[in-house]
């Protein structure tokens, strides 16, 4: 009796109209499918090799030292100091760690907290397309309307007039991600200056996701848009420990912004999550003091993995777009004759034993990604070798 009443009541309850507008992450779903089918997982971008011994040791020491209660909601002081010191060292931007940094649960939370902190009804955000799939739901959840600007292969350039046309009096922010997921594009100074000119003209924020800042190839240089003249105080810079220190499961990231903006982000962050894991922030502080040689080796090792996966995919019949940064390879799958990216990704994971991400998850209109698959190379040699063996079956048909 009670059960029937409850079920009837549940049926009448309307769920969030916002949540109804987006689906679960296809990237995370592909990882689940990889596990289900025992496939080699080249879909979700997380390393399958070890984190540096020093960062793991620092985390153990922090737990042993009983740093096991809440950190200050916007981040442990030592960690914020280390973030500020590294930003100064690498980008030449000086920060006040007391008023300009919010430590969050990963860059994912830093991004949504930042958007919730600045967006009002009617606001628009400019987003380059293809885009990292989180930005779509982030826009919906925060109430912003996205305006998409295409990055055109093979170099993933944008049309400056098209970009200018996306800005208006309603624009609140542009979302940047450089080095870029999924394309591997690294925005250069001239491009960042074009974006700066529009941000200044329309009084707009840049929210920039720089999580792949140290994964750079072929001489590409990472420039934070906050370091471009005129942008320091209108930029929200998002980053995390996840990719740089191989600890995606720790969920420690941050948002850097001018004091008034940070005050708003901190309030949102506080009521969403209270704070990120305290001992892991201490370990992060230690990691951010690693010498330059750590980052140089990281980039060198990823360059080797990039070459390896480019070779594997090319041999298997994919047409590859060579990335200049981050750790993904976009491929054209037209030659395989499948009706779309989903059908091919399903075949790959179920029959061939390799998981990749269907291109449509990076576009507003699925048709734009229907001949694309994204592979990641943040994997150890054994994993890439296993993928090579499986993909060789594709050739034999
Ligand atoms: N950025 C990673 C990717 O694109 C995944 C991040 C995540 O799943 N939170 O694969």
């Amino acid at each position: 009796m009670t059960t029937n009443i409850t079920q009837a009541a549940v049926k009448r309850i309307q769920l969030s109209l916002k949540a109804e507008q987006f689906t679960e992450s296809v990237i995370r779903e592909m990882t689940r499918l990889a596990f289900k089918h025992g496939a080699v997982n080249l879909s979700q971008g997380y390393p399958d090799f070890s984190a540096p011994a020093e960062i793991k040791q620092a985390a153990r020491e922090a737990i042993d030292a009983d740093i096991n209660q809440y950190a200050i909601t916007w981040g442990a002081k030592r960690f914020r100091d280390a973030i500020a010191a590294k930003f100064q060292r690498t980008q030449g931007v000086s920060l006040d760690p007391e008023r300009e940094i919010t430590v969050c649960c990963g860059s994912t939370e830093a991004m949504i907290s930042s958007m919730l902190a600045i967006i009002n009804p009617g606001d628009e955000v400019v987003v380059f397309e293809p885009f990292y799939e989180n930005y779509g739901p982030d826009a919906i959840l925060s109430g912003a309307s996205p305006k998409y600007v295409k990055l055109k292969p093979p170099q993933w350039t944008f049309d400056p007039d098209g970009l200018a046309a996306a800005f208006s009096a309603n624009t609140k922010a542009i979302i940047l991600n450089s080095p870029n997921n999924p394309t591997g594009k690294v925005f250069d100074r001239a491009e960042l200056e074009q974006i700066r000119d529009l941000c200044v003209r329309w009084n707009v924020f840049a929210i920039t996701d720089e999580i792949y800042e140290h994964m750079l190839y072929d001489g590409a240089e990472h420039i934070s848009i906050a370091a471009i003249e005129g942008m320091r105080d209108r930029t929200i810079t998002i980053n995390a420990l996840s990719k740089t220190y191989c600890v995606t499961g720790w969920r420690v990231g941050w948002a850097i912004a001018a004091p008034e903006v940070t005050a708003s982000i901190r309030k949102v962050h506080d009521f969403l999550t209270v704070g990120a894991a305290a001992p892991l922030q201490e370990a992060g502080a230690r990691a951010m003091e690693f010498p330059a040689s750590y980052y140089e080796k990281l980039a060198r090792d990823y360059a080797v993995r990039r070459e390896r996966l480019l070779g594997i995919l090319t041999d298997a019949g994919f047409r590859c777009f060579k990335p200049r940064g981050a750790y993904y390879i976009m491929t054209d799958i037209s030659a395989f004759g499948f009706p779309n990216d989903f059908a091919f990704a399903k075949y790959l994971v179920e029959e061939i034993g390799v998981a990749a991400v269907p291109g449509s998850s990076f576009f507003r209109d699925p048709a734009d990604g229907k001949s694309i698959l994204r592979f990641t190379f943040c994997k150890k040699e054994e994993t890439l070798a296993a993928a090579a063996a499986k993909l060789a079956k594709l050739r034999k048909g």
Side-chain angles (χ1 to χ4, degrees):
M1 183 68 177
T2 320
T3 316
N4 288 344
I5 290 168
T6 311
Q7 278 170 355
V10 165
K11 268 197 187 148
R12 283 198 305 274
I13 295 172
Q14 190 178 32
L15 302 178
S16 157
L17 294 175
K18 283 181 173 173
E20 271 180 16
Q21 289 171 58
F22 54 90
T23 59
E24 276 191 31
S25 157
V26 175
I27 297 175
R28 267 82 81 191
E29 170 66 8
M30 287 313 302
T31 284
R32 289 191 290 271
L33 284 179
F35 285 133
K36 182 172 164 200
H37 297 287
V40 179
N41 188 6
L42 302 186
S43 61
Q44 194 178 10
Y46 64 87
D48 67 350
F49 39 86
S50 297
E54 297 87 337
I55 195 171
K56 294 191 287 188
Q57 180 61 22
R60 281 190 291 268
E61 284 172 17
I63 290 173
D64 282 343
D66 252 328
I67 302 179
N68 293 312
Q69 309 310 320
Y70 304 121
I72 294 171
T73 186
W74 49 80
K77 176 162 170 32
R78 183 159 169 234
F79 186 40
R80 280 181 288 114
D81 288 349
I83 292 168
K86 181 161 180 269
F87 207 46
Q88 169 78 61
R89 203 162 66 233
T90 56
Q91 294 294 325
V93 179
S94 64
L95 298 176
D96 178 357
E98 290 310 313
R99 300 192 306 148
E100 296 187 304
I101 299 174
T102 310
V103 175
C104 294
C105 298
S107 62
T108 297
E109 194 237 320
M111 177 61 79
I112 188 68
S113 289
S114 298
M115 289 187 64
L116 289 168
I118 64 165
I119 298 296
N120 288 311
D123 284 349
E124 294 175 358
V125 291
V126 177
V127 181
F128 287 106
E129 186 183 35
F131 49 84
Y132 173 48
E133 72 174 354
N134 279 34
Y135 305 153
D138 284 342
I140 294 164
L141 289 170
S142 64
S145 319
K147 294 272 153 204
Y148 296 100
V149 175
K150 284 254 175 336
L151 295 173
K152 283 184 233 96
Q155 296 302 322
W156 308 103
T157 45
F158 60 85
D159 165 27
D161 294 335
L163 179 65
F167 281 70
S168 74
N170 295 328
T171 311
K172 178 54 80 68
I174 178 167
I175 298 181
L176 268 178
N177 174 213
S178 182
N180 184 258
N181 173 11
T183 64
K185 177 186 175 66
V186 180
F187 286 73
D188 66 22
R189 183 173 297 279
E191 290 172 324
L192 295 173
E193 285 176 355
Q194 285 169 33
I195 294 166
R196 183 267 318 273
D197 291 348
L198 291 165
C199 287
V200 170
R201 172 161 169 223
W202 294 103
N203 193 24
V204 158
F205 287 106
I207 310 180
T208 168
D209 174 349
E210 304 189 351
I211 195 154
Y212 303 101
E213 65 175 325
H214 295 292
M215 286 132 204
L216 298 164
Y217 318 109
D218 307 330
E221 184 196 2
H222 170 64
I223 303 169
S224 285
I225 194 167
I228 300 279
E229 201 191 335
M231 284 307 290
R232 187 198 181 285
D233 288 340
R234 58 173 71 252
T235 299
I236 304 176
T237 307
I238 309 258
N239 212 322
L241 297 179
S242 306
K243 316 280 186 186
T244 305
Y245 306 105
C246 236
V247 287
T248 61
W250 282 18
R251 314 310 302 132
V252 180
W254 56 88
I256 295 169
E260 322 78 71
V261 185
T262 291
S264 186
I265 296 171
R266 285 179 174 185
K267 283 190 288 182
V268 174
H269 156 72
D270 189 6
F271 289 105
L272 279 180
T273 66
V274 178
L280 305 184
Q281 293 188 48
E282 294 301 318
R286 189 95 68 88
M288 302 212 49
E289 286 156 10
F290 285 172
S293 56
Y294 172 80
Y295 306 99
E296 286 154 16
K297 179 168 186 325
L298 186 82
R300 272 200 313 276
D301 291 350
Y302 271 117
V304 171
R305 293 183 193 107
R306 178 186 70 151
E307 285 313 308
R308 178 80 166 107
L309 187 59
L310 280 169
I312 293 169
L313 293 172
T314 307
D315 285 351
F318 291 85
R319 192 160 74 80
C320 296
F321 298 98
K322 196 173 185 177
R324 299 194 73 224
Y327 52 44
Y328 305 99
I329 298 175
M330 292 287 256
T331 63
D332 185 317
I333 55 170
S334 321
F336 295 101
F338 277 74
N340 60 45
D341 56 324
F342 261 97
F344 190 50
K346 185 170 171 342
Y347 170 75
L348 267 193
V349 73
E350 290 178 1
E351 308 294 332
I352 300 292
V354 175
V357 180
S360 52
S361 38
F362 307 107
F363 292 89
R364 169 195 33 172
D365 178 356
D368 289 341
K370 81 178 203 318
S371 57
I372 296 175
L373 276 195
R374 188 199 78 173
F375 292 82
T376 184
F377 52 89
C378 55
K379 304 294 170 186
K380 48 190 181 210
E381 169 52 29
E382 299 95 283
T383 309
L384 297 175
K390 304 234 178 217
L391 288 170
K393 287 188 278 176
L394 263 181
R395 269 287 190 214
K396 295 190 193 103

